[in-house]
Amino acid sequence: CRGDHDCLRGQCAPAVQTACQGDEVWQVDACGLAPRRTERCPDGATCRDGACQAAPPGDVCATATAVRDGAEVTTALADYGDDTRGACGGAGPDRYFTLMVDEPSRLRATVSLGSARLSLRASCAERDELACVSGRGAVDVALEPGRYVLVHDWEGAGRPSTLSVTLSPLPADMAPPEP
């Protein structure tokens, strides 16, 4: 039998392999015939290497990684899903972060790769986006105290990219206006 076939009961048959399509596991034979979905990964898991595996921290908003002033987090997003898009795009894997702001502050957040995107949100929802930048731009905004969500997204998932976060307290006369 050929290398991509198995000998079954004295006959050559295409070998069956598993593959991922989104968060589903599929069986596909070596000839590309008879694809069959075998499993949908449960919440908290993602399909990687043909099997459901525990999702890494920050793969979904519910498991977002906490960051604080001075944080620099380097990640290769190959193991992350593509769950969301910001107003500035983002057709690749993404990682969620949460940021607690204790006093009126200026946030400056950047990513190190030109193909990356960074979205700042008041919650996990896309509709609550406050700012979005692509490339080597920076989210640079004044924030009231509260919990915020940063989404780091990019197409070059295999290459590491670094998220950098800086918070600077604002003088009282420069604080964002009360709603």
Side-chain angles (χ1 to χ4, degrees):
C1 290
R2 299 180 352 196
D4 62 350
H5 281 59
D6 293 326
C7 185
L8 300 173
R9 294 185 293 269
Q11 304 253 338
C12 289
V16 176
Q17 300 174 0
T18 57
C20 296
Q21 285 189 345
D23 280 335
E24 296 177 340
V25 179
W26 285 73
Q27 281 187 338
V28 182
D29 70 28
C31 296
L33 303 173
R36 183 174 67 90
R37 185 178 81 176
T38 59
E39 182 178 10
R40 178 162 181 72
C41 297
D43 288 342
T46 188
C47 189
R48 289 193 317 267
D49 302 322
C52 290
Q53 299 180 23
D59 186 48
V60 294
C61 197
T63 63
T65 305
V67 293
R68 64 183 92 209
D69 180 35
E72 289 199 357
V73 182
T74 301
T75 307
L77 292 181
D79 292 338
Y80 289 77
D82 181 15
D83 304 303
T84 188
R85 301 224 182 339
C88 59
D94 35 62
R95 182 173 180 185
Y96 290 84
F97 298 90
T98 56
L99 174 69
M100 287 300 300
V101 177
D102 297 326
E103 60 184 322
S105 299
R106 174 158 302 284
L107 166 66
R108 180 167 171 80
T110 61
V111 290
S112 63
L113 289 177
S115 61
R117 287 160 183 80
L118 188 58
S119 172
L120 173 68
R121 300 173 182 178
S123 76
C124 292
E126 290 177 4
R127 70 178 177 277
D128 291 337
E129 187 171 70
L130 304 171
C132 190
V133 296
S134 60
R136 289 202 169 96
V139 169
D140 192 352
V141 295
L143 297 175
E144 283 293 318
R147 179 184 177 272
Y148 296 89
V149 176
L150 286 163
V151 182
H152 185 186
D153 184 308
W154 77 93
E155 284 94 17
R159 295 174 42 211
S161 180
T162 300
L163 166 70
S164 300
V165 176
T166 305
L167 282 174
S168 306
L170 288 175
D173 61 337
M174 293 182 65
E178 293 289 328

